[in-house]
Amino acid sequence: INYESDFMTLTAGGIWFKSKDREGNPGLTTTPQFTNYPGGVIPLGQTAVTLSRANSIAAYAQGEFHLSPQVDVVLGARITRDKKSGSLNVGRVSGSIATLDELLTRLLSIPYTYERTKPNFLAGVNYKPNDDILVYGKFSTAFVSGGAVAGVPFEPETARSFEAGIKADLFDNRLRTNLSVYTVTYKNFQTAQGGTNFATYLNGVGAAAGIPGLNDGSATQIELARVIGTFILPQGGPVKAKGFEFELTAAPVRGLTLGGSLAYTKTTYNDVNPVLLASNGVNAQGQLEYPPALRPDWTASLSAAYETQPISGDMRLSARVDANWTDEQIILSGRNTTQAFNRNVLKTPASWIVNGRLALKDINLGGVQTELAVWSRNMFDNKNFNYALSLGPITGAAYTAARTIGVDLNIE
């Protein structure tokens, strides 16, 4: 529902979501690594099947109250009701299975349920000293739903954020600038962890979670640790992030557009979960030796585009170049970084990726509009690696896509 008057602009609505799914292949729970199967036949053996149901219903409303031509107050709220249930069904099975129901009767079933109602709020002020400038500030809350994996519960992740900024169009709309600064505090920050950490975690929470036999190093616990691909573990905390984002767009002369951006984000981790410290290693200060990967402190971009007036009929020449810069960043975390080979892919250096495109547009070929363009991605052939995946003693690194050159012919 949308409503607008001289005093108020209101948006309100509702959301309903429902799902039912089954995950897992009977007889094959994880990718078989370096395993030989004679004749290409995979035995039934170890099995895990997850059954899940989820329902979520929410209502929300947000109003902008126009106190004066220059000042708006923004108030919003949402309430969400989540309900989830399901089971992990695990064990070793031999012989043949005719139906899923027959399989489930031969497995250990670990059920779970989750129900939670969460409200969220937003409050802000917008100030417009004139038609070309907006100054704003706001406070908001948010969350990521909780749940359970293999009967091990995890809480909703929550965030509280403050943001302030200014948006301005200057010099007769030839220069546009946007600046925002922010700080966010996360609680119960959810992290995805592999099954190798599962038994360690259960030692601390198995009894509290009401899961018989899963906090005593039992065979069932060891079996679960093997078949659980991923479960959710709180980071500890609170986790705090702060930073700013700045964007600039300029049109100094007709046909030319210049752009740039600069962003900074700093994340700090307090009171890290002891399970993560044990599995990933700690430094002299008792914190994570190698903090979470793929989080550069600084990023930036530059761009330039130029389009001529018609040079023959309607035909125009268009050129664009854009460059994206990323600060040095960790790309591999955890204990495996202590191995000599893995240290080669621990970090990737700060680097630029430059792309370009040159085109003849609106070419009239017998009444057909045509565009001919040449382009290049990663023009200067940056060869840095940008992602790593550790599989115990073996680590694979993904590299920036090599320089690519192409020609496009587009016909309308």
Side-chain angles (χ1 to χ4, degrees):
I1 298 174
N2 296 313
Y3 170 78
E4 189 167 359
S5 69
D6 291 340
F7 174 67
M8 178 176 63
T9 300
L10 176 68
T11 300
I15 299 171
W16 177 60
F17 169 84
K18 182 176 182 178
S19 71
K20 176 183 177 181
D21 63 81
R22 173 174 67 88
E23 182 184 24
N25 296 312
L28 181 62
T29 58
T30 57
T31 302
Q33 299 175 27
F34 313 111
T35 302
N36 178 37
Y37 293 110
V41 177
I42 301 174
L44 195 57
Q46 183 174 286
T47 298
V49 176
T50 301
L51 306 177
S52 300
R53 295 175 181 266
N55 283 277
S56 182
I57 188 168
Y60 64 90
Q62 179 166 306
E64 296 181 19
F65 302 92
H66 313 304
L67 303 187
S68 74
Q70 287 78 38
V71 179
D72 293 338
V73 172
V74 183
L75 298 174
R78 168 174 168 156
I79 188 165
T80 306
R81 174 68 172 173
D82 288 334
K83 185 176 181 179
K84 303 177 184 180
S85 63
S87 63
L88 171 71
N89 304 275
V90 62
R92 288 187 175 275
V93 182
S94 59
S96 60
I97 300 293
T99 66
L100 175 61
D101 289 340
E102 180 186 348
L103 171 66
L104 295 177
T105 62
R106 297 168 62 178
L107 299 174
L108 169 67
S109 180
I110 303 174
Y112 80 92
T113 59
Y114 171 84
E115 292 188 39
R116 188 67 61 92
T117 299
K118 292 286 292 182
N120 290 115
F121 308 96
L122 178 147
V125 176
N126 297 334
Y127 172 60
K128 300 177 182 177
N130 56 55
D131 290 341
D132 297 325
I133 297 176
L134 167 67
V135 181
Y136 70 93
K138 68 176 182 178
F139 166 78
S140 60
T141 66
F143 81 99
V144 178
S145 180
V149 178
V152 179
F154 58 92
E155 291 295 306
E157 174 187 316
T158 62
R160 301 175 62 196
S161 66
F162 294 88
E163 180 181 343
I166 182 170
K167 300 175 182 289
D169 290 342
L170 307 172
F171 305 114
D172 196 23
N173 292 333
R174 291 184 179 275
L175 180 67
R176 170 169 293 173
T177 59
N178 297 326
L179 172 66
S180 65
V181 295
Y182 61 88
T183 177
V184 190
T185 300
Y186 301 93
K187 292 186 178 180
N188 295 315
F189 190 84
Q190 297 172 2
T191 66
Q193 299 294 319
T196 54
N197 297 336
F198 190 66
T200 305
Y201 186 45
L202 288 175
N203 281 328
V205 304
I211 308 170
L214 296 187
N215 62 330
D216 55 6
S218 66
T220 301
Q221 176 178 322
I222 296 171
E223 186 78 5
L224 278 170
R226 289 172 177 164
V227 301
I228 300 300
T230 304
F231 72 104
I232 305 300
L233 182 68
Q235 174 87 41
V239 176
K240 296 184 178 181
K242 60 183 178 181
F244 72 87
E245 296 179 354
F246 176 71
E247 298 176 340
L248 181 147
T249 306
V253 297
R254 184 171 183 174
L256 177 64
T257 304
L258 304 174
S261 69
L262 179 66
Y264 172 80
T265 303
K266 186 65 176 179
T267 307
T268 56
Y269 307 89
N270 302 301
D271 300 323
V272 176
N273 190 311
V275 177
L276 291 176
L277 293 177
S279 61
N280 290 284
V282 297
N283 58 23
Q285 290 73 42
Q287 294 293 314
L288 286 173
E289 184 174 5
Y290 300 107
L294 303 177
R295 299 189 183 190
D297 288 348
W298 292 90
T299 58
S301 69
L302 294 172
S303 66
Y306 181 71
E307 187 169 297
T308 68
Q309 294 298 299
I311 54 179
S312 177
D314 293 330
M315 183 173 65
R316 292 166 293 143
L317 179 66
S318 171
R320 178 179 176 85
V321 61
D322 58 78
N324 298 291
W325 179 80
T326 303
D327 195 9
E328 176 188 77
Q329 60 180 320
I330 294 172
I331 65 167
L332 182 65
S333 286
R335 282 198 179 280
N336 290 326
T337 55
T338 60
Q339 300 171 10
F341 173 77
N342 290 343
R343 284 191 176 276
N344 295 329
V345 292
L346 175 61
K347 290 184 178 181
T348 189
S351 62
W352 287 93
I353 300 293
V354 182
N355 309 308
R357 191 172 190 269
L358 182 65
L360 282 174
K361 305 174 64 175
D362 298 328
I363 306 170
N364 189 333
L365 293 181
V368 177
Q369 289 293 99
T370 306
E371 178 185 85
L372 177 64
V374 294
W375 52 265
S376 176
R377 290 193 293 264
N378 191 9
M379 190 182 303
F380 298 107
D381 204 20
N382 181 308
K383 289 183 168 64
N384 290 339
F385 45 82
N386 54 24
Y387 186 79
L389 175 63
S390 177
L391 301 173
I394 297 177
T395 296
Y399 288 76
T400 303
R403 176 172 53 213
T404 308
I405 300 171
V407 178
D408 290 344
L409 178 64
N410 301 316
I411 298 174
E412 296 184 7

